[in-house]
Amino acid sequence: MRVLGVDPGLTRCGLGVVEGGIGEPVRMIAVGVVRTPPGDDPAERLLTLQTEIDEWLQRYAPDAVAVERVFAKANIKGIMGTAQASAVPMLAAARLGLPLAMHTPSEVKAAVTGNGRADKAQVTAMVTRILKLKVAPTPADAADALALAICHVWRGGAQDRIAQALARQKAAYAAQAAAQSQRVAR
Amino acid sequence: MRVLGVDPGLTRCGLGVVEGGIGEPVRMIAVGVVRTPPGDDPAERLLTLQTEIDEWLQRYAPDAVAVERVFAKANIKGIMGTAQASAVPMLAAARLGLPLAMHTPSEVKAAVTGNGRADKAQVTAMVTRILKLKVAPTPADAADALALAICHVWRGGAQDRIAQALARQKAAYAAQAAAQSQRVAR
């Protein structure tokens, strides 16, 4: 399973692609950051981000996209730009029919460090270790994008399996209930 | 000058197209609202909105796009969805190379009613009168989109002329300064 992680932002947008699955090592395919000048027109900045993300999707052909869920409460300054930036990978995933997941910062931190309140240095250190990188990815946005993608491989994969198991169980119950109601009806 | 006004939102996104200029009556070309179900996947909702806005841009070929500027402080619930929705017309305008303006709610209210704190009913009443409509546009989001477009025809046109005048003046000053520095250099 190959996942593109996106840490949305207009000034810096982290992008990271990892590949892996449940019970197998996760490896890094690509990492980077898209920067757009704060003085530029916001719409032009969004378009630059869209062009870059479209290129990454075409080049790395991920199976899923994971985007950091942005909260209105955190970091009120610049939050509108971040929210608008998050719309770009969401639209791209929907257009391509790719599964999209939104993970909260604490879900990502908990997934890679075991601590939902880990700081940026801890996240970067664990991402470097998990992906067996020789050099820590910088800036923090790039490391965060990789952490998101790792989180998705681990959580997303598990969630998909849980969802499938629940669907099977639900179908079994429905079949059982139908059989019982048929017996009652007789 | 033909303007598409967009009152961004995921549950209801108002769209309005008007045509007019400084010193000539403004007339309505089209008005509508795009609705997406709150229970649907947010990325799918954004994609539906994008598809509709792209259709409007193609059908009505506006010269400019005016979008309501969303603030983080107002209406914290749903603000992220509204911010993400506002990215859709911004991206579309940038992609098509159309001039884009973001007007604040109070700028729009002041432009159409003369009062920056006018309520929704006053805005709708003035939009109905300005555009000489027989029936008031509903819902409020549709009226707001028309108000945005009217505001842009009036303010945007004036702003463009001011910007052009300033650019001419700046060029004149620059030419003068260059001539002076040449004289000094001699």
Side-chain angles (χ1 to χ4, degrees), chain A residues 10-165:
Chain A
L10 278 184
T11 304
R12 283 185 309 278
C13 179
L15 299 176
V17 182
V18 306
E19 202 170 62
I22 306 288
E24 54 176 272
V26 191
R27 66 190 184 96
M28 185 178 84
I29 305 294
V31 67
V33 66
V34 182
R35 296 171 198 268
T36 66
D40 277 13
D41 179 73
E44 289 295 334
R45 298 175 75 186
L46 285 173
L47 186 62
T48 302
L49 184 56
Q50 186 175 58
T51 307
E52 282 288 332
I53 287 179
D54 284 350
E55 262 186 41
W56 277 61
L57 286 168
Q58 206 179 355
R59 196 182 309 153
Y60 300 110
D63 305 303
V65 178
V67 180
E68 187 171 299
R69 190 182 291 278
V70 186
F71 288 105
K73 278 180 187 170
N75 178 27
I76 205 90
K77 193 167 175 283
I79 195 72
M80 303 317 288
T82 307
Q84 288 166 345
S86 73
V88 175
M90 292 171 74
L91 276 166
R95 200 179 58 241
L96 297 172
L98 289 176
L100 172 90
M102 310 288 285
H103 299 292
T104 67
S106 52
E107 282 170 353
V108 176
K109 287 172 185 172
V112 299
T113 72
N115 170 12
R117 297 179 170 202
D119 62 21
K120 287 201 173 288
Q122 286 173 299
V123 170
T124 298
M126 280 307 297
V127 164
T128 309
R129 194 186 298 177
I130 292 163
L131 298 174
K132 297 186 179 67
L133 304 176
K134 281 175 186 155
V135 183
T138 55
D141 315 76
D144 282 349
L146 289 172
L148 260 160
I150 295 168
C151 170
H152 188 73
V153 168
W154 290 348
R155 282 181 57 109
Q159 279 172 349
D160 285 354
R161 290 191 307 174
I162 292 166
Q164 280 167 12

Side-chain angles (χ1 to χ4, degrees), chain B residues 67-94:
Chain B
V67 180
E68 188 172 298
R69 189 182 292 278
V70 187
F71 288 105
K73 278 180 189 171
N75 179 26
I76 204 90
K77 194 167 174 281
I79 194 72
M80 303 316 289
T82 307
Q84 288 166 345
S86 73
V88 175
M90 290 171 76
L91 277 167

